[in-house]
Amino acid sequence: QVQLVESGGGLVQAGGSLRLSCTASGRTFSSYTMGWFRQAPGKEREFVTVISWSGGYTYYADSVKGRFTISRDNAKNTVYLQMNSLKPEDTAVYYCAAAWRFGIVTMPAEYDYWGQGTQVTVSP
């Protein structure tokens, strides 16, 4: 069992930055592929980025490539999402998730555990 808790969301102006954190409970955090998703009102949950268990491999949605960076610190059981050059269309609830599988894991159904989400609002 893995419990995930996100933090770091908030209100920021367009062009600004935020860093989200997701801290996991459990001793097996380093064995999980970790992803970030987001969901805007009235829209489906969408993939943002994923990082392999070692941190050696990352993959990004085209909409955030070059602006967002995912990283992880297995010693701290934490995965991060650095978001720069934020746009109003980035406004959403952001969720971290853990998948007990390898590779490019982009579908919500492939993830085993989810955090409660943190709100990110980007004003024009």
Side-chain angles (χ1 to χ4, degrees):
Q1 188 78 8
V2 176
Q3 292 185 326
L4 304 173
V5 178
E6 300 98 336
S7 61
L11 173 64
V12 64
Q13 287 187 329
S17 298
L18 282 175
R19 189 175 83 154
L20 306 184
S21 299
C22 172
T23 301
S25 64
R27 297 175 294 173
T28 59
F29 171 77
S30 61
S31 299
Y32 284 85
T33 293
M34 297 298 298
W36 285 96
F37 290 77
R38 65 187 182 185
Q39 189 167 18
K43 295 187 177 182
E44 293 187 354
R45 191 166 298 189
E46 67 169 342
F47 168 78
V48 175
T49 180
V50 61
I51 188 167
S52 61
W53 66 271
S54 67
Y57 177 82
T58 59
Y59 181 76
Y60 297 89
D62 287 343
S63 58
V64 306
K65 200 173 297 182
R67 300 187 298 122
F68 290 12
T69 303
I70 189 172
S71 60
R72 67 189 297 165
D73 185 338
N74 288 339
K76 296 182 179 180
N77 278 15
T78 301
V79 61
Y80 304 97
L81 182 63
Q82 178 67 43
M83 305 186 294
N84 299 328
S85 302
L86 282 161
K87 304 175 182 180
E89 50 263 45
D90 294 318
T91 295
V93 177
Y94 283 71
Y95 299 89
C96 70
W100 185 258
R101 61 189 69 211
F102 299 103
I104 303 174
V105 190
T106 65
M107 300 299 294
E110 297 178 291
Y111 284 80
D112 304 290
Y113 301 102
W114 292 84
Q116 83 289 350
T118 186
Q119 177 71 46
V120 171
T121 303
V122 184
S123 63

